[in-house]
Amino acid sequence: MSDAANSIHPSAQLIGDVRLGSGNTIGPLAVIIGPVEIGDGNWFGTGAVVGAPPEVRGFEHPRDAASFSAGNGVTIGSRNTIREYAQIHQGWHDRTVVGDDAFIMNQSYIAHDCRLGDGVTLASSVLLAGHVELGDGANLGLGVSVHQRRYVGAGAMVGMGAVVTRDLPPWAKAFGNPARVRGANAVGMRRAGLPDDAVDELVRLYAEGGSAELRPEHPDLALRFAEWAERTDAVGRA
C-alpha cells in the first residue's frame, strides 16, 4: 500500500493488500479491504466500503479480524467518484471490476464478480446482484435493481425504480417492473457524440421492435451490437 500523493482521512481504514495509484481522495470512515487495486484520481466518500467478502451464503467468511481479507479481489480504474456508503464487494469466482470515469452515487451496491465498463453512472441506491455486467456509458436511475448475471449494454438508460430481469441491448431506453425496452436512448447517444444518422437508424429499429435481434448497419453502432450479440448468445436470453 502506498499513500504517496493520496489524501487519506485519518479515520479511514485500509486493510490488507490495498494498492493505490496517485491523486486518490479517501474520505472519513471509508473502509477498503484487500486485495484491492485502485488507479489514479478516484474519490471515495464517507463510509464507502470496498472489498468486503462476497455476499454468498456458502462462502467461508474470514475469522481473522485483523486482516479480514477474503475473496478474489476488486479492481477500480481511474477518475471514479464513489459516494457515501456505497459498497463494492470482493470477487467470488473472478475479480469485481469498476472501469474508469464512473459516477457511483450514495448507497449503491455492487456485488461480487460485477464488471462495470467506463463512464458508467449509478444513481442513489442502485442494486447490482452478483455477476452483473454494465457496458460503457450505461446509466441506471435512482433505485434500479438488476438481477444476477444480467447484462446492460453500452449507453443504455434504465429509468428509476426499474427491475432488470432480462439483458438490455446497447443504447436502449428501458423502464418498468420488469424493465422493458421502450425505445432508443437518443439523448444519451447525442451526448456521446454519435452522428445523427446513427441515432436516426437506432430510433427506427427500436420503434420496429425485436430488440434482441437488432443488427444496425451504421459503423458507429455495429461494434457495440456485435458485443451485445456475443454476450447474449453466450448466456442465453431470459
Side-chain angles (χ1 to χ4, degrees):
M1 178 186 72
S2 171
D3 60 2
N6 293 296
S7 178
I8 303 173
H9 192 273
S11 67
Q13 297 189 50
L14 277 61
I15 301 167
D17 183 12
V18 177
R19 304 185 184 191
L20 297 172
S22 63
N24 295 291
T25 301
I26 301 175
L29 304 175
V31 177
I32 302 177
I33 306 167
V36 172
E37 297 181 6
I38 296 172
D40 303 325
N42 298 286
W43 192 96
F44 296 86
T46 298
V49 177
V50 177
E55 210 162 45
V56 177
R57 177 178 285 275
F59 185 83
E60 185 64 31
H61 284 60
R63 300 300 177 183
D64 180 3
S67 67
F68 219 66
S69 296
N72 282 329
V74 177
T75 298
I76 296 175
S78 297
R79 301 176 303 280
N80 298 289
T81 299
I82 299 170
R83 292 295 303 263
E84 298 77 23
Y85 303 103
Q87 300 183 48
I88 303 173
H89 284 188
Q90 289 277 342
W92 178 29
H93 294 155
D94 202 347
R95 293 181 74 86
T96 303
V97 176
V98 176
D100 300 329
D101 301 302
F103 191 62
I104 299 170
M105 300 187 201
N106 70 88
Q107 303 179 80
S108 291
Y109 167 66
I110 300 170
H112 57 83
D113 300 84
C114 286
R115 301 185 69 87
L116 279 61
D118 297 338
V120 164
T121 299
L122 305 184
S124 176
S125 303
V126 167
L127 306 175
L128 304 183
H131 311 278
V132 166
E133 296 186 32
L134 305 182
D136 294 346
N139 189 329
L140 278 60
L142 181 77
V144 168
S145 298
V146 184
H147 191 277
Q148 64 187 24
R149 301 186 186 278
R150 294 302 91 199
Y151 175 78
V152 178
M157 175 71 191
V158 186
M160 61 187 298
V163 178
V164 178
T165 59
R166 300 185 179 189
D167 295 346
L168 297 176
W171 302 111
K173 179 172 60 179
F175 53 90
N177 180 6
R180 293 286 185 267
V181 175
R182 315 286 179 159
N185 180 17
V187 172
M189 294 176 74
R190 291 191 174 96
R191 287 176 177 171
L194 288 170
D196 287 342
D197 55 345
V199 176
D200 292 343
E201 180 185 3
L202 200 56
V203 167
R204 175 180 58 79
L205 289 173
Y206 275 130
E208 292 173 353
S211 60
E213 306 299 334
L214 287 179
R215 297 293 186 272
E217 296 180 357
H218 197 286
D220 288 334
L221 301 174
L223 176 60
R224 293 302 189 188
F225 277 87
E227 294 172 351
W228 154 254
E230 180 180 357
R231 176 61 172 74
T232 52
D233 286 346
V235 302
R237 297 187 177 97

